[in-house]
Structures are given as C-alpha cells and as structure tokens.
Amino acid sequence: MDKVYKKIEIVGVSSKSFEDAVTSAIEKASKTLHGLAWFEVVEQHGRISEDKIAEFQAVVKVAFKLDH
Amino acid sequence: MDKVYKKIEIVGVSSKSFEDAVTSAIEKASKTLHGLAWFEVVEQHGRISEDKIAEFQAVVKVAFKLDH
Amino acid sequence: MDKVYKKIEIVGVSSKSFEDAVTSAIEKASKTLHGLAWFEVVEQHGRISEDKIAEFQAVVKVAFKLDH
Amino acid sequence: MDKVYKKIEIVGVSSKSFEDAVTSAIEKASKTLHGLAWFEVVEQHGRISEDKIAEFQAVVKVAFKLDH
Amino acid sequence: MDKVYKKIEIVGVSSKSFEDAVTSAIEKASKTLHGLAWFEVVEQHGRISEDKIAEFQAVVKVAFKLDH
Amino acid sequence: MDKVYKKIEIVGVSSKSFEDAVTSAIEKASKTLHGLAWFEVVEQHGRISEDKIAEFQAVVKVAFKLDH
Amino acid sequence: MDKVYKKIEIVGVSSKSFEDAVTSAIEKASKTLHGLAWFEVVEQHGRISEDKIAEFQAVVKVAFKLDH
Amino acid sequence: MDKVYKKIEIVGVSSKSFEDAVTSAIEKASKTLHGLAWFEVVEQHGRISEDKIAEFQAVVKVAFKLDH
Amino acid sequence: MDKVYKKIEIVGVSSKSFEDAVTSAIEKASKTLHGLAWFEVVEQHGRISEDKIAEFQAVVKVAFKLDH
Amino acid sequence: MDKVYKKIEIVGVSSKSFEDAVTSAIEKASKTLHGLAWFEVVEQHGRISEDKIAEFQAVVKVAFKLDH
Amino acid sequence: MDKVYKKIEIVGVSSKSFEDAVTSAIEKASKTLHGLAWFEVVEQHGRISEDKIAEFQAVVKVAFKLDH
Amino acid sequence: MDKVYKKIEIVGVSSKSFEDAVTSAIEKASKTLHGLAWFEVVEQHGRISEDKIAEFQAVVKVAFKLDH
C-alpha cells in the first residue's frame, strides 16, 4: 500500500558542532514522533559571543511516516 | 474577520503516477485536518528498482484554515 | 536573420490534471498569439474543496516569435 | 543545556496591511504554542477584488522552543 | 468551465512606502485590464537621494482572468 | 560498507506526457548503467508546434550506485 | 507624481554573441514600446550545430514606463 | 566617465515596523558613507517576546558610489 | 521516435573573455561527444592575478543526443 | 594554454559524519578520474533508522581537468 | 598556514560592454585592496536611454586575501 | 534604542575540516571588528590535491553590531 510522510522543520542548537546540532534536532523529534525516516540540512548558522562560536544552529527538515 | 492558515509539508508516495502521489498526500492530510484550502507541489522525485520506477514521490505543501 | 521571442506567464486551471491545465494555458495563448514556440512549467499548485482537488493550477511560461 | 526549536509555516491574512497580516499570523500561533522566539517573512501576496487589494497575505515561518 | 489567468510584472514606485508602491502598481494595472484576481510581491528596493529614501519600488506580479 | 552514488542529468522527450518523458529518460539510462536507485525531476518544459504541444521535455537527475 | 513600470521578458537570439543577442532583444522591444528604462539579463543559453555555437540566446527582462 | 558602486549588507532593527527598520539601516549607513544611491530589501524577519513582535529586522543591501 | 539527451557540466577557462571560455568548453566537449545540441551558461567567475583578470571561467551545461 | 574542467555530481554515504561522506565521494571519484581539482558540497541529508542517524549523505560536485 | 579571504560586492558600470563593466569593478577594487584573488559575476543588468543601452552594469563579488 | 548590524562575507580556509574553516573565518573577523553577533554558512567547497582534500573552504557571513 502507498505510503505518506510528513516533513517538519526543526532547529537544533549545540555548543559543540553542527553535527551535534543535527543529532540533537533528530533526537528531540524522536521523542514525540514515530517512524522517523530521513532528514535534510537546510541551513547552518550560529551565535557568536565574546569572539567565540557560542551556538551552532542547524535547521533540519525531518521526515516521518504517517500511520494508515 | 481576518483568517489564518497553516501550511504543512507532506510527501505522497505512489506506485502509479505523480498525480496519484499528490492525491494520496492530500487524502491523508484530510483525515486529521479540517478546512484544507490549497496545495503546492514543491518537489517531484522517486525510487527506481530493477530499472523501473517503483515509487513516484511528490512533496506537497498543504494549507488549511485555522479555526478562530 | 536573428530572431526575437517574447515569453508570457499564463496560469492554466483544470479540474482534471496538471497536464490538462498546461494544455489549457497553451490553447488559450494560441487564440491571440502567433508563432508559439515553447513552454516552461514554473509552478504547480491547486485548490482543495471538501477534501478533494477542485483545481489543478499550472503556471506556464509560453514563448512566441515576434515578427520582424 | 542545548535547545531545540520547531518552525511552522503560517499564512496571515489581513484586509489592512502586510504587517497586520504578519501580526495576525503570530497572534494566532501564540494561542496554542508556548515559547515563540522569532519569525521570518517568506512570501507576500494578496487577493484583488474590484480593482482593490481585498486581502494582504503574509507567509510567515514562526519558530518556538520545544520543552525538554 | 476551466479558467485561464495571465500574470504580468509591474514595478510600482512611491515616495511614501512599499505598500503605497504596491497599491500604485495594482491601480495602474486596473486601468487597462479587467478581472484582476491576485498579486505577488517579488522584490522590494528603492532609490536613495541625499541620505533619504526617495523612492520605494515594489516589483509586483499581477494576475488577471482572461475572457473566454 | 559505505556506498557512493553518481547523479547524471538526462532530458527525456515524449510526444505524450511528462510522465512518459520521465520514464523514457530512465529507460535510456538503464541501458548503459547498472544500479539505478532514484530520480529527481528538475525541470518540465516542451516544444509547441502549430499551437499544440509537440514535445514534453522532462529534465531528470538519475542516481545510480557505483561499484566498489 | 509616482511612476509605474512594466517588465516584459524577451529572448534575443544572435549568431554572433550574447551582447548582440541582448541588443537585439532591446532593439525589438523599442519598436513597439516607449520609455524603455532598464534591462536585466536572466538567462544565457544557446543552440549548437555541427559542434559550433549556432545561436546565442539571451533571456532579458526589459522595463518601460507606463504613461499616466 | 564610468562609475563604480559598492554594495554592503546592513541589518536594521526596529521595534515599530519593517519600514522603520529599513530606514534605520540606511540612516546608519549614511553616517559613514557618501553617495548612497539605492537599496534592496533581501530578508524580513524578527524577534518575538511574550507573544508580541519585539523586533522587526530588515536585511538591506545598500549601494553607494565609489569616488574616482 | 522519442529522443533522449544527456547534460554534462563543463568549465571553460580562457585568458581572453567569457565567450571564449564558453566556446572553449563546447569545443572540448565536441572532441569526445556526438550530437551536441544546446548549452546553458550557469556561472561566470574568474581568477585575478596582479590586479588583472588572469582567467575567465564559464560553467556551462552542454546537452547532447543519446543514440538509440 | 587554456584549460577545461568537467564537474560530476557524486553522493557520498557514510555512517560516521558528513565530512566522512564527502571524503568518501572524492576517494571514489579519484579511482577512475585523473586531475581532481576542487569540490563543492551542494546538499547534506541522511537516513534515520530506529531514531538514530544511520547514513550521512553528502551530495558533492567534483571537478577534474580534462586532458588536451 | 591557513588563509582567510573577504568577499565584497562591487557594481561596475560601463558604456561599452559587460566585460568592460567587470574589468572596471576589479580595477577599482584593486586601488584600495591588496591580494585580489578571484571574482564572481552575480548579476548583469543595465540602463536604457533613447532605445539604446546606455550602461552595462555588472554586479561582481571580488575576493581578496586578508593578511595575517 | 534600535540597533543596526553589518554583515560581511568571509572565506575561511582550513586543511582540517569545514568547522575549522568556519572558526578560522570568525577568528580572523574578530581581530578587526567588535561586537560579532552571529554567522551564517553560505557555501562549503574545497581544493583537491593528489586525490586528497587539501583545503576545506567555508564561505561565512558574519554579522556585527555597529556602534551608535
């Protein structure tokens, strides 16, 4: 039977790295959603404080399967 | 009175055609949402298996009216 | 001698399919313009009514040759 | 601790102005969501009726913090 | 019966505001065209003179219904 | 073991429909390549002749797995 | 008094160069329109025949002032 | 003699409106630069605090003439 | 019978001009490919050395017909 | 003498990180191509399995020099 | 040791050609900046006066090396 | 009081990783500018030498507050 997915847009924020921010976004999404299937990184930016990167921010689209 | 809509992003998957994938996405959205008003096709891709199109995938934004 | 074309943007609307909407846009353009040469589909969206697709809307650029 | 935000896409509609449409979208979002943090205007369009602007429509992404 | 619209691109210029520039573009279009249906703001820029905004320029696509 | 894919860009041309043009592009690709995995429709345009659509042209990216 | 411009999309074709194609598009536009004010090159492509560039094609938006 | 301009990217922030944010960006630029000539609005976003728009942020490219 | 084309991406480099870079890309492509049909200029950049343009670089998509 | 490069599009897949996926794509390309010169990351996405990132996928354009 | 570049956006204006406008932008940049390394043409437009191209305007990003 | 920021475009180059390239760009910017506030990664590319990544290049927009 044909499938249907929904994509939501999540912004992960990490003090360590972009990949940590992506992981953090997906981990958060997994707490309330089932059937996470793929993700797409759509933006990478961050906050600077006292000349250092204080936050890595990754805007991530996360897709999950909708139940029938 | 002024109206407000919400747009969600749905990926319909069909073994038949892109239009079937779009229809499938909207049908699924209609099961849990009221007041569907319009849709926008934002991407068209698919999966190939044994040299044939196995899945038509249509990424569709669906807008629906929020109740006051 | 060198040629010049003009491109106009037409929105075809059909209750049947996107291809019907494209065809409808081109047919309409052909009633007042000569020398239609090519077309480009730039957007595909539609209207939903009572949970069904009521209109397929295809935004199409149509190019035609300008006479010298 | 690291934060996570979700972005949703809302279309505010106003008979007055684009800024009123943006405000209307955010006000509506605030009724069901906590922790609204920022917004991005992604499209500005509208409906014309009898040669006058009948609706200003602002497509707005609204971001809010997800609770831990 | 199926409908067809044409979209034209108009640049409204105002010394007051972007919304006045948009209104001005639509008002001008309405003088020679019937059946204006919707508009889309595609660019917002302007001219500066003596350190002040001398012109607000709004590039607007205006759609109108073609008669059958 | 980690996988690597290559994406190529193919333009399918059909006198019937866009979906036939997509199918035609993939069928052609499958004659010389193994492991076709997915495709993405990136443009849809066509040629008009005597006021009718003479060619549906679908620009398609086709991805296939590279052997190790 | 506030001004209004219209932008049209013209494709100039030249056997010599892109700049000749742009010039050709503007020259053609000037034959039927008054008050040409500016142009924007939006695409540059061409046709190849027997391994040589047979046509330089420049897609150009041309803006002209609408009379009051 | 031929002219040369430089474009810089400024983010105006206002608690009142987007147009105030644009004006504020240009006013600031005019304090250190001569010959401001035009501007382009490239992004419109803002900060929300306690369910109200606390900041309108307009990202503006400002062009000014370089002296010979 | 229906046709299929392949598009490849070539970067021509010239010390003279962008058009020479485009020509150079197409000439190179023609040495190993048959049936070149059209090209699209997708980027124009270059290298500067001692304050002079040392290289004009044109990124060009070249399409050619695949044999049946 | 003037140079010509070709750009191909490769999708590297890694279970570790995006940078590993990029490296993997380039390593694979280097097995059959000489004169690799530069690369561009054009998309970053991945597959999720059981709430964890199972694959980091990096779409990479790789440019290499064509021999004369 | 690792390098850092800065990119600035310059608009060259020429009455002759786009390439002259690009050259003019780079020449101007070289008067106040050291270590110019590459450039990218990002827009090509112009002004029309009395049905002739009065100005070719090339928007160019110019990159130069920052000293350590 | 209302704030104004300026965004500049910096290209960090690192032999180690993209994140090192981003860090390097920001560190460099901080040497001459005060009030760095946020950054946006706009492009990721690099140079290949002898089949290995020799340089990771991150194009980064860096925003800083302008003093009143």
Side-chain angles (χ1 to χ4, degrees), chain I residues 11 45 59, chain J residues 5-7 26 35-40 61-64, chain L residues 45-48 57:
Chain I
V11 187
H45 37 64
V59 183
Chain J
Y5 296 84
K6 185 174 174 183
K7 284 163 87 165
I26 291 167
L36 299 190
W38 79 89
F39 69 98
E40 305 158 22
K61 288 200 179 183
V62 180
F64 58 99
Chain L
H45 37 64
R47 195 166 56 78
I48 304 172
Q57 304 160 343

Side-chain angles (χ1 to χ4, degrees), chain L residues 2-14:
Chain L
D2 292 343
K3 294 161 289 185
V4 179
Y5 296 84
K6 186 175 174 183
K7 285 163 86 165
I8 58 169
E9 201 165 4
I10 299 283
V11 187
V13 180
S14 160

Side-chain angles (χ1 to χ4, degrees), chain B residues 17-36:
Chain B
S17 68
F18 280 120
E19 254 153 42
D20 195 53
V22 172
T23 302
S24 167
I26 291 168
E27 196 184 303
K28 183 74 189 174
S30 75
K31 284 186 184 154
T32 52
L33 300 168
H34 295 282
L36 299 191

Side-chain angles (χ1 to χ4, degrees), chain C residues 40-54:
Chain C
E40 304 158 21
V41 180
V42 290
E43 285 176 52
Q44 290 176 308
H45 38 64
R47 195 166 57 79
I48 303 173
S49 176
E50 295 178 17
D51 294 351
K52 298 272 174 268
I53 299 179

